[in-house]
Structure formats: C-alpha cells, structure tokens
Amino acid sequence: TIGIGACGNRMSCGFWRNILDEHNLDFDGTLLDDGDGNDDYKVDNTRIGTYFREMKDIKSKYVPRNIICDLDVTTIDSVRASNLGSLFNADQYIYSGNSANNLFSLGYNNHIIDDIFDEIRSEVEKCSSIQGFKLLHSIGGGTGSG
C-alpha cells in the first residue's frame, strides 16, 4: 500500500489495523499466540506474504509492504507516535520536511516523487510475485484545493 498525504495515511493506518487483526499480528509485527499453549495457530496465514514480508533474522516477525509519504512531517510524526509506529521500517517513511502550505505549485513541483519511486522499486524487488498496489489518497482536498 502507498499512503499519500494526511488522508491517505489515516486510511492506511486503519487498513493496517484490520490486516494485523486478520493475521493475528501484534502492533510490532510479531505473530501472536492463540492462547491455547500450542504453536498451531487457528488463523490461516498461508497468504500472509501478500501484505507482509517476514524478517530474515527474527522468526515470526513481519514487516508490512507499505510506503508512508507526505510533504508535511507532522503526518509522518503522528503515524510514528501511534501504536502502529513500530510496525514500519524507517525507510518506509518518505517526507520532504517542508509543507506545501496549501500552495499547489510547491506541492506539484516537489522532488519527493523520486524518493517515492525509489522506495516503490525497492519494495517490488523484495516481492517474488507482485500482485498490485493500493494507492490511498484524498480525491478532493489537500494542497491547492481551497
């Protein structure tokens, strides 16, 4: 998934909360025990690789295939400070540090797009069989809408 802007990243956080629950994962990406004392999980995680990649050095720890981007760092900081903040790797956060301040030309001509494409390319290279993208963003609103 690719969350763009404040709206896209809010929707992305809601999406990841649901996916974590569906795959029985904690907010840091670790697989939860089902509570009955054995390792046979009742949750069917045969397709967990669709949205997550397992960390090589830590068994049963998963990182979402996600990119969080915005021109304004406050959106990024709010995701980092939330309970989902530890779920994502540092390279999955892309921001410019300078808000467009509702000026379309500043947002349109920003060079953050190159960093976003580089991270998309990096995430795709980590997949064995890419199925598609979920692009989450605002249709109306954001820079220059008012």
Side-chain angles (χ1 to χ4, degrees):
T1 62
I2 304 167
I4 299 176
C7 178
N9 286 306
R10 284 188 194 113
M11 288 188 296
S12 179
C13 286
F15 171 80
W16 286 109
R17 282 185 186 95
N18 288 335
I19 295 296
L20 288 172
D21 187 46
E22 184 177 304
H23 289 286
N24 202 31
L25 294 171
D26 197 4
F27 284 111
D28 65 352
T30 55
L31 196 57
L32 295 171
D33 188 3
D34 62 1
D36 65 1
N38 64 22
D39 289 336
D40 297 328
Y41 297 104
K42 294 183 174 91
V43 177
D44 180 16
N45 275 337
T46 55
R47 300 193 190 276
I48 195 169
T50 302
Y51 292 113
F52 297 93
R53 65 179 183 276
E54 188 170 13
M55 293 185 70
K56 293 177 184 174
D57 53 343
I58 304 172
K59 187 168 174 55
S60 299
K61 170 109 168 115
Y62 295 89
V63 177
R65 301 180 192 279
N66 185 48
I67 299 170
I68 302 165
C69 50
D70 196 353
L71 294 177
D72 190 6
V73 72
T74 56
T75 301
I76 304 296
D77 289 340
S78 68
V79 174
R80 283 184 178 153
S82 73
N83 54 1
L84 291 173
S86 63
L87 182 64
F88 308 112
N89 287 337
D91 60 343
Q92 292 176 302
Y93 295 101
I94 301 172
Y95 56 95
S96 71
N98 295 322
S99 174
N101 295 320
N102 290 329
L103 297 172
F104 176 78
S105 60
L106 287 178
Y108 183 78
N109 292 319
N110 197 293
H111 298 288
I112 191 174
I113 192 70
D114 294 331
D115 296 333
I116 294 170
F117 284 148
D118 288 341
E119 185 59 28
I120 291 171
R121 186 177 303 109
S122 173
E123 287 293 325
V124 167
E125 289 171 353
K126 296 173 189 171
C127 296
S128 60
S129 176
I130 186 81
Q131 296 178 14
F133 297 97
K134 289 186 184 344
L135 183 62
L136 305 169
H137 64 94
S138 171
I139 297 294
T143 300
S145 66

